[in-house]
């Protein structure tokens, strides 16, 4: 298995004084995802939870919907000359009768750790039809509970504590319980790992939950939440205009700038409980 972190000596200058300490960096390595032996995509990721990442990616692309649609996931032999497994290639074997990915999904180049949509031909191509509509999910969100989620997420980020260089995605119940946490150098990878965990654990669609991401809320993250049946997405930073548009179209609750006791609700505000200045329901 690849390393989650690596060590590197650096030159550190503080107030003009130079030292050479050893710093810990978040690892970033390519992962090739194959389906039934055929290469589908190569993405840059932090090693770890690779099977979740591959499964979640296939959910996001609409290839699979249930865990039983995957017959198995395994690491393939690596590309080193001496035959050592690099653990950078996984092959997902689909169950009998499950259609393979459309050839148009194949991406014949690397996707970076910051881009989950590289290689898509057009905006229409990423408006994948969701298996589970989220607009009718009855979950209600208490702002007091939502405000505490970033602190819970941050406290659970073990690798971030060592590197300061990873994104996180956390799936929470409506009452604030952390159900799953995944870290990665890529925001979309962290979300795919959460979705893949849910698929493999038999939890899709993931209703009555909130997905929290440590960065901004982009279009592809909203899409991934919708494809997993998650009714609410919260981010500590800003959403993009396209993310807000897609959230409104899909009926997903989108929260941005979740910091302290403040937040902006960009779509799906009907799920967020309101209180007057005395704390009583409005």
């Amino acid at each position: 298995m690849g390393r989650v972190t690596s060590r590197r000596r650096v030159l550190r200058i503080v107030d003009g004084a130079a030292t050479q300490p050893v710093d810990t960096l978040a690892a970033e390595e390519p992962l090739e995802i194959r389906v039934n032996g055929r290469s589908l995509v190569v993405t840059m990721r932090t090693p770890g939870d690779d099977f979740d990442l591959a499964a979640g990616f296939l959910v996001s692309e609409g290839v699979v919907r249930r865990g039983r649609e995957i017959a198995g996931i395994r690491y393939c032999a690596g590309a080193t000359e001496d035959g050592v497994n690099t653990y950078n290639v996984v092959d997902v074997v689909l169950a009998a009768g499950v259609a393979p990915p459309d050839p148009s999904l194949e991406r014949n180049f690397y996707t970076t750790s910051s881009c989950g949509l590289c290689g898509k031909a057009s905006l229409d191509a990423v408006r994948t039809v969701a298996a589970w509509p989220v607009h009718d999910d009855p979950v209600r969100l208490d702002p007091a509970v939502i405000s505490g989620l970033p602190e819970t997420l941050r406290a659970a980020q073990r690798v971030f504590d060592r590197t300061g260089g990873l994104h996180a995605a956390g799936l929470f119940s409506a009452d604030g319980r952390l159900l799953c946490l995944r870290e990665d150098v890529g925001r979309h990878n962290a979300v795919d790992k959460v979705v893949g965990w849910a698929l493999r654990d038999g939890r899709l669609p993931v209703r009555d939950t909130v997905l929290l991401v440590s960065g901004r809320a982009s279009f592809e993250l909203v899409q991934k939440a919708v494809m997993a049946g998650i009714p609410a997405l919260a981010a500590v930073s800003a959403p993009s205009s396209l993310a807000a548009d897609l959230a409104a179209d899909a009926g997903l609750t989108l929260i941005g700038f979740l910091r302290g006791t403040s937040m902006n609700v960009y779509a799906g505000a009907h799920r967020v409980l309101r209180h007057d200045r005395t704390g009583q329901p409005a």
Side-chain angles (χ1 to χ4, degrees), residues 72 171 224 241 275:
L171 186 67
K224 291 176 186 297
S241 61
H275 302 275

Side-chain angles (χ1 to χ4, degrees), residues 176-199:
R177 290 181 295 112
L178 179 60
L179 304 175
C180 177
L181 166 74
R182 293 292 185 265
E183 295 178 281
D184 200 277
V185 288
R187 290 186 305 274
H188 66 285
N189 286 340
V191 171
D192 275 341
K193 288 178 178 180
V194 169
V195 173
W197 166 83
L199 175 81

Side-chain angles (χ1 to χ4, degrees), residues 102-148:
D102 188 292
S104 66
L105 293 180
E106 294 181 17
R107 305 173 188 180
N108 298 316
F109 50 84
Y110 288 95
T111 60
T112 70
S113 55
S114 61
C115 177
L117 294 175
C118 300
K120 294 290 190 177
S122 67
L123 179 60
D124 290 339
V126 297
R127 290 186 180 271
T128 312
V129 177
W132 304 286
V134 299
H135 63 83
D136 60 349
D137 193 304
V139 67
R140 292 295 180 264
L141 307 175
D142 188 332
V145 173
I146 300 302
S147 295

